[in-house]
C-alpha cells in the first residue's frame, strides 16, 4: 500500500548550513516535509510536542547528544531518532544506540545513504548504522574497545626451508 501523506521530519542541528542543507535535500525528494527545525537542543525540545513528526534527525552540533536522546525518549518514546555525527569512537557510538538512537549516520556519508537509513528506521528497524559507522563499530572487540594496531610492530625475517630439520 502506497503512503499518501508525506513523511514529517523534525530536523535539528547547531550548524545553520547543515540544517539548511538537510532541509533542502529532504524536501527535494518530494516524499518528505519538514514539520519542524531547530538550531539548539532547547529549541528542539520546545517544538517537538507540537511538531507531530514521524522521524527526528539530530546532528551532534547540538551539544550533549546522549542527554538529548534521553530527553527525547522520555517525551516521545515511539518517535524514531537518527543521529548524524562526526564521532568515530565505538564506545560513544554504542552509547548513542543505548540512549535511544535507532539510526546513526556519519557526517561524511552521502545524503542518499542517510535517506536509505531513514527509510529503514521508519519501517521499524533498530540499530541501523551507515556503512562508515559500521566500519567504526567493527573495529572493536566484544567490550566495545577499539582494536588499535598502531602500536604493533612487525619484523619480517627471511625464511629458509633448508635450515629446518625433521
Amino acid at each position: 500500500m502506497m503512503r499518501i501523506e508525506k513523511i514529517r521530519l523534525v530536523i535539528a542541528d547547531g550548524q545553520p548550513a547543515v540544517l539548511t542543507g538537510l532541509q533542502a535535500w529532504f524536501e527535494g525528494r518530494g516524499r518528505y516535509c519538514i514539520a519542524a527545525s531547530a538550531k539548539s537542543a532547547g529549541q528542539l525540545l520546545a517544538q517537538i510536542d507540537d511538531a507531530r513528526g514521524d522521524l527526528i534527525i539530530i546532528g551532534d552540533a547540538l551539544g550533549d547528544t546522549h542527554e538529548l536522546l534521553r530527553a527525547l525518549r522520555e517525551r516521545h518514546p515511539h518517535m524514531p531518532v537518527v543521529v548524524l555525527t562526526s564521532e568515530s569512537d565505538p564506545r560513544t557510538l554504542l552509547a548513542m544506540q543505548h540512549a535511544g538512537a535507532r539510526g546513526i549516520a556519519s557526517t561524511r556519508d552521502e545524503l542518499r545513504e542517510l535517506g536509505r537509513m531513514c527509510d529503514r528506521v521508519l519501517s521499524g528497524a533498530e540499530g541501523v548504522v551507515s556503512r562508515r559507522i559500521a566500519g567504526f563499530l567493527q573495529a572493536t572487540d566484544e567490550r566495545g574497545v577499539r582494536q588499535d594496531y598502531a602500536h604493533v610492530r612487525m619484523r619480517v625475517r627471511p625464511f629458509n626451508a633448508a635450515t629446518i630439520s625433521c
Side-chain angles (χ1 to χ4, degrees), residues 72-103:
L72 290 170
R73 291 283 57 93
E74 285 177 14
R75 288 180 162 201
H76 299 279
H78 301 293
M79 191 180 303
V81 179
V82 173
V83 177
L84 185 59
T85 184
S86 58
E87 188 62 57
S88 63
D89 179 55
R91 285 181 279 194
T92 304
L93 296 169
L94 290 170
M96 285 179 193
Q97 286 181 324
H98 292 297
R102 288 206 196 154

Side-chain angles (χ1 to χ4, degrees), residues 11-166:
I11 300 176
D13 195 283
Q15 299 177 45
V18 172
L19 186 61
T20 302
L22 288 171
Q23 289 173 334
W25 190 85
F26 279 104
E27 285 180 336
R29 304 285 79 75
R31 42 187 295 233
Y32 300 96
C33 71
I34 306 303
S37 65
K39 295 177 185 169
S40 69
Q43 191 178 30
L44 172 63
L45 293 172
Q47 293 179 3
I48 194 72
D49 293 331
D50 297 328
R52 294 178 292 135
D54 299 313
L55 176 73
I56 303 169
I57 300 172
I58 61 171
D60 63 358
L62 293 172
D64 187 353
T65 305
H66 302 97
E67 197 59 41
L68 179 56
L69 284 166
R70 284 188 200 99
L72 290 170
R73 291 283 57 93
E74 285 177 14
R75 288 180 162 201
H76 299 279
H78 301 293
M79 191 180 303
V81 179
V82 173
V83 177
L84 185 59
T85 184
S86 58
E87 188 62 57
S88 63
D89 179 55
R91 285 181 279 194
T92 304
L93 296 169
L94 290 170
M96 285 179 193
Q97 286 181 324
H98 292 297
R102 288 206 196 154
I104 304 174
S106 172
T107 54
R108 297 175 63 195
D109 289 328
E110 291 184 20
L111 286 174
R112 285 181 300 182
E113 183 154 10
L114 176 61
R116 284 191 296 268
M117 287 182 53
C118 289
D119 290 341
R120 290 188 58 213
V121 167
L122 283 166
S123 72
E126 294 185 16
V128 178
V129 295
S130 69
R131 289 182 199 111
R132 187 177 309 273
I133 297 296
F136 295 143
L137 292 173
Q138 287 177 349
T140 63
D141 63 13
E142 62 279 352
R143 296 169 294 151
V145 177
R146 184 181 292 232
Q147 296 173 358
D148 186 8
Y149 296 107
H151 66 281
V152 176
R153 294 181 183 244
M154 292 181 64
R155 188 169 44 166
V156 178
R157 290 191 285 178
F159 175 72
N160 187 348
T163 60
I164 298 177
S165 59
C166 295

